[in-house]
Structures are given as C-alpha cells and as structure tokens.
Amino acid sequence: MFEIRVIYEPTDTDRISQALAAAFATGPARQYPTRDRKRMRLYLTADHQPTESESE
C-alpha cells in the first residue's frame, strides 16, 4: 500500500477521483483545501489493482 496526494483545481474533483479509482484499488478519499484556498489536496491510500491471475 502507498499514499497518493494530488493537488488540483476544485472543478477537477470527479475526473481525478475516477481516474485514480480506475488505476488503483483505493481507500476512502480525504480532501482539504490548500493553504491559499485556491486549490484542493486529495489524499488516498491505494494499492495496485489485482491482476487476473491473482483474483482466481
């Protein structure tokens, strides 16, 4: 497992969350504003998606 942090524009929230969920097995997301309050920080605990041979 590893931690992912993304700093992004608030209008990109859905697109970024969907892309990360498609690429990794993710846990609950935590969102906080940046210090300047202009962007957001997204933190996710993630793991690699299992391959087909691992899921059998």
Side-chain angles (χ1 to χ4, degrees), residues 15-27:
R15 184 177 62 86
I16 290 171
S17 296
Q18 290 171 358
L20 289 171
F24 302 102
T26 59

Side-chain angles (χ1 to χ4, degrees), residues 5 7-8 13 15-16 26-28 33 35 39 45-46 48:
R5 179 181 71 168
I7 298 174
Y8 60 95
T13 301
R15 184 177 62 86
I16 290 171
T26 59
R35 291 182 186 180
R39 296 177 291 167
T45 301
H48 296 283

Side-chain angles (χ1 to χ4, degrees), residues 22-40:
F24 302 102
T26 59
R30 298 169 318 276
Q31 293 180 319
Y32 306 99
T34 56
R35 291 182 186 180
D36 64 7
R37 304 265 188 231
K38 294 180 182 177
R39 296 177 291 167
M40 295 295 292

